[in-house]
Amino acid sequence: MAFEDEDGRPLTLADFKGKAILLNIWATWCLPCREEMPTLDSLQAQLGGEQFEVVALSVDHAGISVVEKFYRKTGIQHLRQYIDPSTLATSTLGIEGVPTTLLIDHNGREIGRLVGAAEWDSPAMMDLMTRAIDGIRN
């Protein structure tokens, strides 16, 4: 599965090996996606680093400019911008709708999946993510 960062550099999930990632497949036209993005930004701000990253992968056909505009308009500061304008990620990963979020361990294995929006920075979710990251590290 290939996608690009905000500078147009090609990436795959293998580029994140050694790090747990929360891969959120979303689009700017998706209202539940838009509503959960600030909580993903907060999660990245609190837990992101060498061991963990929230990868918010937009499947907008219009390209990275709509993601950049959305981030600026909503004050997203901690998430990097990733885009899959081909939307091949959805079929590759078996995604039937957005938002869909996958928890991927440091070896690139999916260990959890949630279809639909969530409050990612809630105390319960933060605890779950912290325990997942700690479990992955050990």
Side-chain angles (χ1 to χ4, degrees):
M1 180 189 95
F3 54 98
E4 298 173 358
D5 69 8
E6 63 269 11
D7 297 321
R9 281 190 299 258
L11 296 167
T12 69
L13 291 179
D15 291 306
F16 297 91
K17 195 165 176 122
K19 178 184 277 200
I21 64 169
L22 190 70
L23 176 64
N24 177 264
I25 309 297
W26 74 290
T28 58
W29 45 261
C30 162
L31 187 56
C33 300
R34 295 170 65 92
E35 290 173 351
E36 79 174 349
M37 287 303 285
T39 71
L40 286 162
D41 190 51
S42 177
L43 178 66
Q44 174 65 23
Q46 295 178 62
L47 296 181
E50 300 246 340
Q51 299 291 322
F52 177 74
E53 183 175 344
V54 176
V55 177
L57 179 58
S58 168
V59 291
D60 279 278
H61 292 288
I64 201 72
S65 62
V66 295
V67 175
E68 193 274 328
K69 181 179 176 185
F70 173 79
Y71 276 31
R72 194 173 57 245
K73 185 175 164 188
T74 55
I76 302 296
Q77 298 178 8
H78 305 285
L79 297 174
R80 291 183 57 201
Q81 297 173 33
Y82 298 104
I83 188 82
D84 175 21
S86 71
T87 69
L88 289 174
T90 54
S91 58
T92 303
L93 297 170
I95 307 290
E96 296 183 12
V98 292
T100 297
T101 307
L102 286 63
L103 181 58
I104 300 171
D105 74 10
H106 64 288
N107 288 317
R109 293 183 305 246
E110 179 181 335
I111 58 173
R113 179 179 290 226
L114 177 69
V115 178
E119 191 176 332
W120 293 103
D121 60 349
S122 70
M125 194 61 81
M126 291 290 293
D127 181 58
L128 177 67
M129 290 295 114
T130 301
R131 283 187 288 122
I133 296 163
D134 287 343
I136 290 166
R137 266 186 254 171
N138 298 331

